[in-house]
Amino acid sequence: MKTATSTFTRSLAIAACVLSLSACTNMNSTQQRTLSGAGIGAGVGAVGTVMTGGCVTCGAAVGAAVGAGAGYVYDKTR
């Protein structure tokens, strides 16, 4: 049974996704690599913690931070 709260939450999540995608236009190379690194790092961190039985949210957050840093450093060294 759907409640008004679950419908509102779903609508809010969809709106957040659409707005976040529109923020990715006209980025320079450094911003693109940093964002890509964060996304890849979050995925790897989440999968790694699922496999080891740790906190998935913590793994995704740490992975995103490390990935963003690595993407930024990689772009600056090129």
Side-chain angles (χ1 to χ4, degrees):
M1 182 168 109
K2 287 187 179 182
T3 62
T5 304
S6 67
T7 303
F8 176 74
T9 304
R10 179 176 283 168
S11 299
L12 188 61
I14 291 171
C17 289
V18 169
L19 287 174
S20 67
L21 288 175
S22 67
C24 294
T25 60
N26 297 326
M27 292 193 310
N28 63 31
S29 176
T30 301
Q31 293 168 336
Q32 290 175 352
R33 290 189 192 280
T34 303
L35 183 61
S36 297
I40 293 167
V44 170
V47 169
T49 53
V50 165
M51 294 175 65
T52 60
C55 171
V56 177
T57 305
C58 299
V62 170
V66 171
Y72 180 80
V73 169
Y74 178 78
D75 186 65
K76 292 300 179 185
T77 59
R78 286 190 82 189

